[in-house]
Amino acid sequence: MFNTEFNDIAENAALDLYPSHLRAQIDETNEWVYDGINNGVYKCGFATKQGPYEEAAIHLYEALDKCEEILGRQRYICGNTVSEADIRLFVTLIRFDEVYAVHFKCNKKLLRDYPNMFNYTKDIFQIPGMSSTVNMQHIKRHYYGSHPSINPFGIIPLGPDIDYSSPHDRNRKYIILVDVKRDSQKVRAGLLGIETVSVWSHHLNTNYEQPPTHQDKPPLPSTLPRPCSGADTPFPALFPPGHGGGNHKAPCVASRTPSVVPS
């Protein structure tokens, strides 16, 4: 409803956060994000026994790990376009370290421990108009002051006072989906920062949706360029021990622009 019903008075009526071609994916994502994350932090925070708390916390961090993995290969949670699902996820992530980690005991890992999600949260925050919806002083005053059963003295923590307007890395290139010429096999090559990859092209007989396992992969060619981010590889799963990666010192290809196929 909010996507279309107020277009007559909206300042940006052309914005479509629920496009028809993504609706099924958005609905599916909203379902597990709500259950595991949006509502998951509340199930942790209002648990009155250890067992239900631990069950909720495990489910929460499974969902967060899933988000981190997805955001490692695409800019937004449903692809390379911002959608309603991103807004739903953002409102919990922006509160995570400032409130939920302390107030709701969601402290196994902080948002800042997830590089993809942390930079993603800054990316969404910096969309024009989004920062004006976040008043962290008000958010903290509300949570820490309105649940006496959790925080009876209403003490408001001073930190961590995160600067979500600081630079992020989400405008990088994400996935290179390689069309292997033999039998049209496809390999999800991950974030390599290179123009083209022909690794495994003569050895595959299966369509891969994830990087091949260690057993499936032949040795990397000695001429494979290394990533340009300063790290030896931003996607270690592609380079198991003995298959290059961290020990690979081929020339960087910073002057070349990757060709990216949206997932």
Side-chain angles (χ1 to χ4, degrees):
M1 181 181 75
F2 288 110
N3 192 53
T4 57
E5 293 302 312
F6 298 96
N7 280 355
D8 290 342
I9 59 174
E11 293 183 5
N12 190 6
L15 178 65
D16 187 2
L17 296 174
Y18 193 55
S20 57
H21 69 286
L22 287 178
R23 287 179 184 177
Q25 185 179 359
I26 291 171
D27 290 344
E28 179 185 2
T29 301
N30 285 343
E31 185 173 349
W32 62 262
V33 165
Y34 173 77
D35 182 58
I37 299 175
N38 299 140
N39 196 37
V41 293
Y42 282 87
K43 288 186 284 188
C44 291
F46 288 99
T48 56
K49 294 185 178 179
Q50 188 69 28
Y53 160 75
E54 291 185 4
E55 182 179 353
I58 290 171
H59 188 38
L60 165 66
Y61 281 96
E62 288 175 346
L64 290 173
D65 289 344
K66 182 175 181 177
C67 286
E68 178 71 3
E69 188 273 328
I70 291 172
L71 293 171
R73 49 187 167 85
Q74 59 196 41
R75 184 164 185 172
Y76 303 110
I77 199 66
C78 286
N80 292 317
T81 303
V82 66
S83 71
E84 175 194 317
D86 296 295
I87 308 305
R88 286 174 175 255
L89 178 58
F90 170 80
V91 295
T92 298
L93 297 185
I94 195 70
R95 291 163 169 79
F96 200 89
D97 286 11
E98 297 279 4
V99 175
Y100 302 140
V102 177
H103 194 54
F104 285 169
K105 305 175 184 69
C106 302
N107 65 346
K108 182 180 178 182
K109 288 179 71 175
L110 300 176
L111 177 66
R112 288 165 289 169
D113 295 325
Y114 290 99
N116 294 324
M117 276 196 296
F118 183 47
N119 280 281
Y120 163 83
T121 303
K122 292 193 286 186
D123 188 14
I124 302 297
F125 179 83
Q126 292 172 32
I127 293 174
M130 285 298 295
S131 62
S132 65
T133 70
V134 179
N135 183 331
M136 194 57 68
Q137 289 185 339
H138 177 270
I139 289 170
K140 292 174 70 172
R141 188 163 61 246
H142 162 70
Y143 275 97
Y144 288 110
S146 63
H147 304 134
S149 63
I150 298 175
N151 189 26
F153 297 105
I155 304 298
I156 303 173
L158 290 177
D161 195 23
I162 300 167
D163 180 10
Y164 287 100
S165 63
S166 62
H168 62 79
D169 65 358
R170 301 301 292 175
N171 55 356
R172 68 184 191 242
K173 301 297 184 182
Y174 289 92
I175 297 175
I176 302 171
L177 193 61
V178 181
D179 288 330
V180 182
K181 294 181 179 179
R182 181 182 176 185
D183 300 326
S184 298
Q185 294 123 335
K186 293 183 178 181
V187 178
R188 192 174 294 277
L191 176 59
L192 294 179
I194 60 178
E195 191 169 293
T196 181
V197 179
S198 59
V199 184
W200 314 303
S201 61
H202 300 295
H203 300 268
L204 299 179
N205 54 18
T206 307
N207 291 332
Y208 283 98
E209 289 300 323
Q210 297 295 331
T213 64
H214 180 89
Q215 292 77 13
D216 292 325
K217 286 190 290 188
L220 291 173
S222 60
T223 57
L224 180 67
R226 63 181 174 83
C228 304
S229 63
D232 285 332
T233 172
F235 199 175
L238 290 172
F239 300 97
H243 281 241
N247 297 323
H248 195 71
K249 299 301 179 184
C252 178
V253 286
S255 63
R256 298 162 66 183
T257 301
S259 300
V260 177
V261 180
S263 59

